Amino acid sequence: MQTALGALVLAAPLAAQPGWAQNAQEILIVAGPRTPESLDQEYPPTEAVHELRRNVNERLLTYEMKKGEDGISYEDFSKVAGALAESWEVAPDFKSITFHLRSGVVSGAGHPLDADDVMWSFERGWNLKSNFHWYMTQILKIEDFDTAFEKIDDMTVKVSIPNASPLLEKLWINSDLGILDSDTMKEHLTDADPWGQRWLATNSASFGPYKVTKYAPGQEIIYEANADYYRGAPKLKKVIFREMPTSANRLAALQAGAVDVAEYLSPRELSMLGQMPGVTINKVFGNFVHRVEMQNETPPFDNPKVRRALNYLVPRDEIAKAVYFDTARPTKSPISEIYPAFTEEYYDFGNDVEKAKALLAEAGLPDGFQTELGYRTGDQLEEELAVILKTAFAKAGVDVTLSKLPASTLVERYTKGQIPMYFFRDMAIVPDAAYVANLWLNSNSLIDYSRFHSDEVNELINSALTSTEEEKRLSDMKRVQQITMENAPWVFLFNPGYQLATRQNVKGFSWYTPNGNAWFDFYKE
């Protein structure tokens, strides 16, 4: 209680300042679990970083939006629209795309957009060999920068790739591929830091609806509107994001009216808030996955029968009610359920203890085995899941040691293959089955942390990344799902959905694949 009250005291001074009170309709105060770890778009993406990029770094292309039956706006994956590029052409052979930049676009620093900004952003990303480089080499198979990227004139840029790609157009919608204001960036380059990594880690320079005017890691980040944003000035002139790591504090702040928005509350807290007047709970199922990954190269998890056995031990109905309060759906495929080519045809993991025991016996483990399951310190939901799974696995003789670890330690251990089982939550932000499969199932992927390997899956994914025959791609991705479910590289748990709690006067909630809130869409009544 004292901690919660402390959070409210921290928030109170804003409301007390006369200047703020006069503009309350134009200011949004948000409580979230953590501030972005870096403002540089080459930093590895996290949930907090994804939200930052959605609001600051404008992209070349976007999706049109459509209203769902629930009244929430969603991306229409069938309709690509222009963003910084007013128009574009994809070559008939799907080996090049030409962008014609929108005139009159101005950055948060007041600099007009031109082809030099685009080319400099491409060159920076390529040379830093991080996010941009990964997309270009792993998805578009680009090998040489000078061959691939060309400035045609002051407002036109062309990208050429060695093989056809069905993602040549959609990839540029990705929030990781925002265009930087090169004029601003060049003011902060040094011989020791030729690409401005040090400066961009704590500052923003792009053409989006907001710019960052204060960045205090671990405390708060303040966004101020880009009045010259090409889609029009944002309704919210300032967004103040406060870090409150404990969800109980975020809940208390929202209840007291000290914040307008509370991110990532627990299902239990959301269930309680749903009965409270003056608060709105926005819910979408989206594309999150929450699962337990097993180290497929470490015995006994190198045996698919062991991995399948654990899947038959999960009491999903109990978890859905006791942990998620019916806000989640079981994950039934490695492919996001809202994306084309998804099928649940190969999912058969009911709660069947006898079947699990039989599989373990066939694997030579009739008495079970000992193992370890890692989860994040401070993550109440994962702790609840871990306790339930420990009890469930014990019914087949699987003795699980639960390891509560700082997030950084857990990530370090599973990226190095040093922990046999661990919770993993992520989302694939390009709505394409081959893209999703490439992320998590291709042996060459940087994030195939479970070390799953199938030569056939690798071949099917690599083929689908360069094929433009849509029927064959769909067929190949169906086969990938079949192989994956048969081999069960993970303990398939739930799509937890995305929920956002707001004060009732906050409107404009919309959903995008990175699950980050787009403050441009929000307004206050």
Side-chain angles (χ1 to χ4, degrees):
M1 186 66 175
Q2 285 180 335
T3 308
L5 289 172
L8 300 184
V9 170
L10 282 174
L14 282 177
Q17 295 177 23
W20 294 88
Q22 293 171 4
N23 301 304
Q25 293 299 101
E26 297 179 338
I27 298 169
L28 193 74
I29 304 177
V30 182
R34 62 181 180 270
T35 52
E37 292 84 351
S38 170
L39 308 191
D40 191 337
Q41 63 189 35
E42 291 302 316
Y43 186 87
T46 64
E47 290 157 4
V49 167
H50 274 305
E51 184 167 275
L52 165 86
R53 291 173 185 169
R54 168 63 56 179
N55 291 288
V56 172
N57 297 332
E58 191 61 87
R59 303 142 295 153
L60 288 164
L61 301 177
T62 187
Y63 288 115
E64 291 186 13
M65 302 297 288
K66 62 179 180 181
K67 284 280 188 182
E69 294 180 0
D70 53 8
I72 294 172
S73 292
Y74 296 83
E75 292 173 305
D76 184 343
F77 301 143
S78 68
K79 296 179 180 178
V80 178
L84 295 185
E86 186 169 31
S87 63
W88 65 100
E89 299 102 32
V90 176
D93 62 1
F94 287 86
K95 288 187 177 182
S96 70
I97 184 169
T98 303
F99 299 104
H100 303 281
L101 301 180
R102 188 182 301 273
S103 61
V105 174
V106 177
S107 73
H111 298 133
L113 170 73
D114 60 24
D116 290 335
D117 294 305
V118 178
M119 290 296 294
W120 192 87
S121 299
F122 290 171
E123 187 178 5
R124 179 182 192 267
W126 183 266
N127 281 280
L128 291 181
K129 291 183 168 53
S130 185
N131 294 336
F132 180 88
H133 190 270
W134 184 87
Y135 287 112
M136 297 304 107
T137 57
Q138 295 297 310
I139 305 299
L140 298 183
K141 309 300 182 185
I142 292 172
E143 298 176 352
D144 177 69
F145 181 88
D146 293 332
T147 303
F149 302 100
E150 179 184 3
K151 174 183 173 181
I152 305 298
D153 60 40
D154 286 345
M155 297 298 284
T156 310
V157 170
K158 182 177 181 180
V159 180
S160 302
I161 59 178
N163 306 294
S165 173
L167 296 178
L168 182 57
E169 184 179 43
K170 286 186 174 181
L171 195 65
W172 302 100
I173 297 170
N174 196 312
S175 296
D176 294 337
L177 302 178
I179 302 303
L180 297 172
D181 171 2
S182 63
D183 293 320
T184 295
M185 287 299 303
K186 288 174 182 177
E187 295 171 4
H188 302 281
L189 306 183
T190 65
D191 291 340
D193 188 18
W195 298 109
Q197 289 177 275
R198 189 174 296 109
W199 184 82
L200 196 60
T202 58
N203 296 274
S204 65
S206 191
F207 299 88
Y210 290 92
K211 57 185 176 181
V212 175
T213 55
K214 179 182 179 182
Y215 176 55
Q219 298 177 37
E220 71 176 10
I221 180 170
I222 296 180
Y223 302 89
E224 293 198 23
N226 175 3
D228 297 317
Y229 182 50
Y230 79 93
R231 293 168 61 195
K235 298 181 183 69
L236 295 171
K237 305 308 179 188
K238 184 170 292 192
V239 178
I240 302 164
F241 180 99
R242 280 221 165 84
E243 179 169 317
M244 294 185 189
T246 305
S247 64
N249 290 354
R250 300 195 294 276
L251 173 66
L254 183 69
Q255 289 174 314
V259 302
D260 301 301
V261 177
E263 297 183 341
Y264 294 105
L265 296 180
S266 73
R268 187 184 305 274
E269 291 165 337
L270 290 166
S271 176
M272 182 184 69
L273 270 181
Q275 312 303 317
M276 180 176 295
V279 174
T280 299
I281 308 299
N282 303 279
K283 298 182 180 181
V284 297
F285 278 104
N287 61 347
F288 261 130
V289 292
H290 201 189
R291 60 185 180 240
V292 170
E293 294 200 348
M294 296 169 276
Q295 173 50 253
N296 287 201
E297 293 178 345
T298 301
F301 298 119
D302 56 344
N303 189 328
K305 291 182 179 180
V306 173
R307 304 194 299 259
R308 288 181 62 81
L310 294 193
N311 273 283
Y312 282 113
L313 291 169
V314 179
R316 292 178 178 82
D317 290 344
E318 175 190 341
I319 291 172
K321 290 180 173 59
V323 177
Y324 288 108
F325 287 76
D326 294 320
T327 58
R329 294 195 287 221
T331 300
K332 298 183 176 182
S333 164
I335 305 302
S336 310
E337 63 187 89
I338 61 171
Y339 289 173
F342 163 83
T343 178
E344 58 182 75
E345 178 180 347
Y346 306 109
Y347 177 86
D348 66 349
F349 296 128
N351 188 12
D352 191 334
V353 176
E354 294 308 312
K355 190 165 188 175
K357 288 181 177 179
L359 284 167
L360 289 175
E362 291 174 22
L365 297 165
D367 299 321
F369 59 94
Q370 292 184 331
T371 189
E372 178 188 10
L373 172 61
Y375 64 97
R376 293 162 181 79
T377 301
D379 193 318
Q380 182 63 31
L381 187 142
E382 287 191 355
E383 185 160 22
E384 291 177 19
L385 286 172
V387 171
I388 291 174
L389 292 178
K390 177 180 174 66
T391 302
F393 292 164
K395 293 178 179 180
V398 180
D399 182 12
V400 180
T401 298
L402 301 182
S403 294
K404 183 191 298 187
L405 301 167
S408 58
T409 303
L410 181 65
V411 171
E412 181 179 8
R413 286 192 65 187
Y414 71 61
T415 55
K416 293 181 178 179
Q418 295 173 348
I419 189 166
M421 301 175 69
Y422 51 89
F423 282 102
F424 183 81
R425 183 170 74 176
D426 201 1
M427 67 274 188
I429 62 179
V430 175
D432 180 84
Y435 176 89
V436 179
N438 185 64
L439 278 180
W440 296 326
L441 299 170
N442 194 326
S443 300
N444 293 319
S445 172
L446 295 174
I447 60 173
D448 175 24
Y449 301 131
S450 62
R451 308 296 200 274
F452 172 72
H453 178 84
S454 164
D455 289 337
E456 184 179 357
V457 165
N458 288 346
E459 291 171 7
L460 290 168
I461 292 172
N462 290 331
S463 172
L465 288 175
T466 58
S467 171
T468 56
E469 297 178 35
E470 199 56 30
E471 286 189 18
K472 182 178 186 304
R473 295 183 82 240
L474 294 176
S475 174
D476 287 352
M477 288 303 102
K478 186 175 181 180
R479 174 62 178 154
V480 164
Q481 292 170 83
Q482 180 181 12
I483 296 170
T484 304
M485 300 310 293
E486 289 173 353
N487 284 274
W490 319 310
V491 177
F492 290 86
L493 294 179
F494 285 84
N495 167 0
Y498 181 74
Q499 301 88 29
L500 187 72
T502 69
R503 301 298 304 174
Q504 201 166 42
N505 68 323
V506 176
K507 307 296 182 182
F509 175 77
S510 51
W511 183 80
Y512 299 85
T513 56
N515 296 284
N517 296 301
W519 305 126
F520 179 81
D521 298 339
F522 284 69
Y523 60 95
K524 286 185 175 182
E525 287 187 338

